[in-house]
């Protein structure tokens, strides 16, 4: 598993994509994020890798009205300091019109869901500053000036600009099913997805299939025996197709009885006969299965190895 600080899981409602997901017609968010966060990009930081992944989860925007979209875009733009005297000189002063419908994304291991992300360049830049930049810089950046550091530091006060953003309380089970990139994952992914849904249901864990709702109701996670619901989806390439089936399991922080709460666990070479054991041992008991473990990540971005 390559080290990363955040996984941006973009909801597309589709189960397969072109080999390079940024080449999809609707891949505006991926293209802009790669440009800004990638090598030589404005927010490029070799010590803070952001992984961009498509998912089969339906976007909240599927049933969003035009007025909802307009309201979301207006709030993000109104929060942009460019619109005010003495605004941020690092942001282009021209506010481009939206280049496509807004996007929805899960951010992990931040365990945050952002249902409405306008896809013009200025709004995407605000999204990066609000959610994706590091809260603390690597010591190698100590030689930078304060102004230079401010460019690549997170500005969490901008998060309130994104309507409906909420915590993620669901167990997230992500299975590489990117047939457009590798035939093995394309064939095995859907089989594993069906197997996980079946085995979760047998453990009385609800499997959520509807589009995620913004601003979900607060859940009392302190109740004895509390177990979250789960989402199971196919995702695009995450590296290591030779390890197919590849599965990432994120256990939400609120699942207090699970020792892996707040962590993401990567498994490789998962076969259908392994799924029942993964659900029992990892999803419910919070134990790592050594034979399939590729690595993991915690909420403080520490990389987990055995």
């Amino acid at each position: 598993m390559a080290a990363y600080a955040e996984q941006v899981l973009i909801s597309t409602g589709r189960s397969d994509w072109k080999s390079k997901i940024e080449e999809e017609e609707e891949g505006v968010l991926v293209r802009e994020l790669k440009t800004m966060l990638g090598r030589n990009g404005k927010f490029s930081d070799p010590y803070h890798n952001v992984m961009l992944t498509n998912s089969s989860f339906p976007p909240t925007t599927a049933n969003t009205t035009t007025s909802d979209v307009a309201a979301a875009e207006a709030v993000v733009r109104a929060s942009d300091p460019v619109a005010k005297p003495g605004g941020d000189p690092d942001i282009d002063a021209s506010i481009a019109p939206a280049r496509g419908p807004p996007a929805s994304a899960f951010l992990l291991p931040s365990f945050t869901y952002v249902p409405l992300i306008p896809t013009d360049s200025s709004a995407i830049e605000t999204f990066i500053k609000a959610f994706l930049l590091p809260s603390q810089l690597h010591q190698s950046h100590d030689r930078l000036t304060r102004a230079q550091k401010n460019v690549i530091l997170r500005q969490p006060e901008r998060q309130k600009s994104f309507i409906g953003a909420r915590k993620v309380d669901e167990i997230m089970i992500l299975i590489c099913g990117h047939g457009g990139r590798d035939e093995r994952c394309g064939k095995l992914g859907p089989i594993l997805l069906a197997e996980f849904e079946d085995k979760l249901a047998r453990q009385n864990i609800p499997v959520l299939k509807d589009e995620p709702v913004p601003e979900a109701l607060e859940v009392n996670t302190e109740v004895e025996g509390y177990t979250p619901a789960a989402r199971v989806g196919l995702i695009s390439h995450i590296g290591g197709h030779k390890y197919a089936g590849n599965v990432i399991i994120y256990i939400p922080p609120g699942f207090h009885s699970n020792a892996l709460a707040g962590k993401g666990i990567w498994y490789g070479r998962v076969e259908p006969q392994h799924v029942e054991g993964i659900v029992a041992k990892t999803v419910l008991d919070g134990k790592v299965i050594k034979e399939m473990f590729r690595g993991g990540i915690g909420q403080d971005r520490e990389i987990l190895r055995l």
Side-chain angles (χ1 to χ4, degrees), residues 31-43:
R31 289 194 292 273
E32 290 288 334
L33 290 176
K34 281 202 168 190
T35 298
M36 296 183 192
L37 293 167
R39 185 176 299 177
N40 299 321
K42 178 176 180 178
F43 303 110

Side-chain angles (χ1 to χ4, degrees), residues 12 14-24 30 34 52-56 174-193 233-242 244-247:
T12 72
R14 296 169 50 195
S15 58
D16 200 11
W17 310 270
K18 293 181 179 179
S19 178
K20 295 182 178 180
I21 59 175
E22 64 270 24
E23 294 179 354
E24 293 285 351
V30 173
K34 281 202 168 190
L52 307 176
T53 315
N54 275 357
S55 79
S56 62
L174 315 176
I175 305 159
C176 185
H178 198 169
R181 186 71 174 260
D182 184 273
E183 185 178 16
R184 290 164 292 184
C185 290
K187 290 182 175 179
L188 189 54
I191 296 172
L192 289 175
L193 183 145
L234 299 178
I235 60 173
S236 60
H237 179 61
I238 53 172
H241 280 309
K242 65 183 179 180
N246 284 297
V247 177

Side-chain angles (χ1 to χ4, degrees), residues 46-68:
Y47 303 101
H48 187 82
N49 179 36
V50 177
M51 181 169 59
L52 307 176
T53 315
N54 275 357
S55 79
S56 62
F57 298 124
T60 295
T61 54
N63 291 322
T64 302
T65 66
T66 302
S67 59
D68 291 333

